Amino acid sequence: MYPNDGFRELERQECLRLLAKAPVGRIVHTRQALPAVLPVNFALDTDGAVLLRTSATSELVRAIDGAVVAFEADEVDADAHAGWSVVVTGHAAMVTDPAEQERLLRTGPRSWAPSPQEVFVRIEPELVTGRELIAGRSLYGLDLQAPR
């Protein structure tokens, strides 16, 4: 991510483990040639792909199907000045294979805003990065909570 910012970089498997615990993330895509960010609930597939379930007629599906997107989730403890952030970057595509759709109906995410016609979107984890700050201490050993 940013190797000189003092945060601890997370390995891919650690990123996926943390991501699996998060109930909500943010999908980052392009809308009318500008960056757009939308909070969504999600699940991870067994290979680390991010899975979304949404309305088949949603603007989101039209915007991301076939596009490269970023997906971010995090956990922050503002009192302790601690937390982590994970970003998955990859191609997003609607799941069209009937067998895969059937499997995801059983094991995939449930939409928090169900609609009559839903589809699954899969984001391939082509690039997975993460970083962590623990208890207000950076890699430089500075106490970030101390008065300056």
Side-chain angles (χ1 to χ4, degrees):
M1 296 195 63
Y2 303 102
N4 295 318
D5 65 4
F7 287 79
R8 181 174 78 85
E9 276 189 60
L10 302 174
E11 298 294 327
R12 182 183 179 99
Q13 286 308 103
E14 190 173 11
C15 287
L16 294 175
R17 181 186 60 77
L18 290 169
L19 199 58
K21 297 186 334 181
V24 174
R26 291 158 214 68
I27 181 102
V28 181
H29 61 95
T30 303
R31 181 176 181 217
Q32 297 176 354
L34 296 171
V37 181
L38 186 66
V40 293
N41 70 298
F42 70 101
L44 282 189
D45 209 346
T46 55
D47 64 353
V50 174
L51 298 169
L52 311 177
R53 185 174 181 173
T54 190
S55 169
T57 60
S58 73
E59 184 179 320
L60 177 65
V61 169
R62 288 191 304 275
I64 67 174
D65 187 30
V68 173
V69 301
F71 181 84
E72 188 271 346
D74 55 43
E75 183 176 282
V76 176
D77 182 336
D79 292 332
H81 296 194
W84 57 264
S85 174
V86 171
V87 177
V88 173
T89 306
H91 286 85
M94 277 195 318
V95 175
T96 57
D97 178 66
E100 184 71 357
Q101 289 173 338
E102 189 62 36
R103 179 183 74 85
L104 293 176
L105 284 171
R106 292 188 312 276
T107 64
R110 301 282 178 242
S111 178
W112 286 9
S115 67
Q117 287 186 305
E118 293 182 329
V119 294
F120 290 98
V121 176
R122 178 182 179 86
I123 302 169
E124 293 299 330
E126 295 165 27
L127 178 62
V128 179
T129 59
R131 63 190 205 151
E132 178 180 40
L133 178 65
I134 301 173
R137 296 193 76 74
S138 76
L139 288 179
Y140 306 123
L142 301 175
D143 184 351
L144 300 178
Q145 296 175 346
R148 294 180 197 205

